[in-house]
Amino acid sequence: MVIDGLDLTVPKGAIVGLLGPSGSGKTTLMRAVVGVQIIAGGSLTVFGQTAGSASLRHRVGYMTQQASIYDDLSVRQNLRYFARIQGAPLADVDRVIERTDLTGQADRLARTLSGGQANRVSLAAAMLGSPELLVLDEPTVGLDPVLRADLWDIFRGLADDGTTLLVSSHVMDEATRCDRLLLMREGELIADTSPHALLETTGADTAEDAFLAIIESEESRPAHSRTHLLAGGSRQTRRGGRAERTRKSGAR
């Protein structure tokens, strides 16, 4: 996936939703943020440092799309293992178990967990060491509405405590749970806005209808003069492949 001309700043202490259909570049961007994706050009900084720098390993937590846990270990054993790898205090294991509501499953083997519980274990592992930024790649995919709502309650609690969350999803109704929205399509950022501004500017009743309205608007314009919706309803015009309004990349 090629991501061309992306220029943005992720604010600290907020839930930033990275939304778009499958194949739009969400995972590629998130992998770049945590430093496991090679960047061909441009720069990406996290807390003022180059993404992937060794000094960021304790400041950034990453949850992949698939639950990254060992089936033959219990929940607690998985978290103790990841705590040792990350250099987090073992006492932190109990904290993240409680925070993700896994106390009743702490001694169960991972292979016996439901999909939602396995996702919570992956989230708990990403939370070890209290990172300042959590990068969560489609953490609610495949979950029923109740389990998704439970996870979003956890995300909101983390944000209220000052953690920055970058959460990707292709479920558009989750947009309203975010503080800020980054909408992507085919490797491009087509909107950088808030849930309220997204609905107000497009006149749509739902985030999904608003997203479709933005796509239809973009497709009706010549490529050299397409506009991208920005926070507050302002727009960014692209001419000749370059953005007239730019901001420094990275999370702060």
Side-chain angles (χ1 to χ4, degrees):
M1 167 60 65
V2 176
I3 298 177
D4 185 27
L6 183 63
D7 192 358
L8 58 94
T9 300
V10 175
K12 185 176 181 179
I15 300 178
V16 180
L18 182 61
L19 290 96
S22 298
S24 60
K26 301 187 301 296
T27 295
T28 298
L29 176 58
M30 300 188 107
R31 285 172 53 85
V33 169
V34 297
V36 296
Q37 177 74 48
I38 296 175
I39 301 175
S43 63
L44 179 59
T45 61
V46 180
F47 302 120
Q49 301 178 58
T50 302
S53 298
S55 57
L56 293 173
R57 291 174 186 169
H58 300 296
R59 303 181 69 185
V60 180
Y62 180 38
M63 178 181 172
T64 59
Q65 287 187 29
Q66 300 298 323
S68 301
I69 56 178
Y70 293 97
D71 287 345
D72 56 345
L73 297 179
S74 71
V75 171
R76 191 182 306 277
Q77 288 170 334
N78 265 287
L79 295 175
R80 287 176 65 88
Y81 170 74
F82 289 121
R84 286 194 294 268
I85 289 179
Q86 298 175 27
L90 290 181
D92 211 25
V93 170
D94 289 334
R95 179 186 67 84
V96 298
I97 285 177
E98 181 178 358
R99 192 68 187 267
T100 53
D101 198 21
L102 286 168
T103 303
Q105 293 78 38
D107 296 316
R108 287 177 53 183
L109 291 179
R111 70 165 65 98
T112 68
L113 301 176
S114 67
Q117 292 166 344
N119 278 20
R120 287 175 185 241
V121 179
S122 286
L123 174 60
M127 291 166 54
L128 288 166
S130 300
E132 299 166 62
L133 170 65
L134 282 174
V135 180
L136 312 178
D137 195 356
E138 302 208 1
T140 62
V141 65
L143 302 183
D144 65 54
V146 174
L147 292 177
R148 285 197 287 123
D150 288 344
L151 276 180
W152 278 99
D153 286 343
I154 295 174
F155 300 160
R156 176 52 61 189
L158 290 168
D160 288 344
D161 289 342
T163 303
T164 301
L165 290 88
L166 180 61
V167 185
S168 72
S169 178
H170 61 266
V171 182
M172 295 306 299
D173 63 4
E174 295 188 335
T176 57
R177 296 180 177 273
C178 302
D179 300 310
R180 177 181 171 191
L181 300 174
L182 304 175
L183 305 187
M184 292 189 68
R185 184 171 185 254
E186 297 180 352
E188 287 192 355
L189 184 68
I190 64 171
D192 176 357
T193 185
S194 67
H196 175 74
L198 175 67
L199 298 178
E200 184 178 49
T201 304
T202 60
D205 294 326
T206 67
E208 183 173 353
D209 289 342
F211 184 68
L212 293 174
I214 292 172
I215 291 176
E216 291 173 0
S217 176
E218 290 289 296
E219 290 180 341
S220 67
R221 303 173 187 271
H224 68 276
S225 63
R226 289 181 180 173
T227 59
H228 291 186
L229 183 67
L230 295 174
S234 61
R235 292 182 178 272
Q236 173 186 37
T237 303
R238 299 184 64 85
R239 301 184 184 280
R242 297 183 63 85
E244 290 187 337
R245 175 177 175 178
T246 61
R247 287 160 293 164
K248 187 175 180 181
S249 301
R252 296 184 180 181

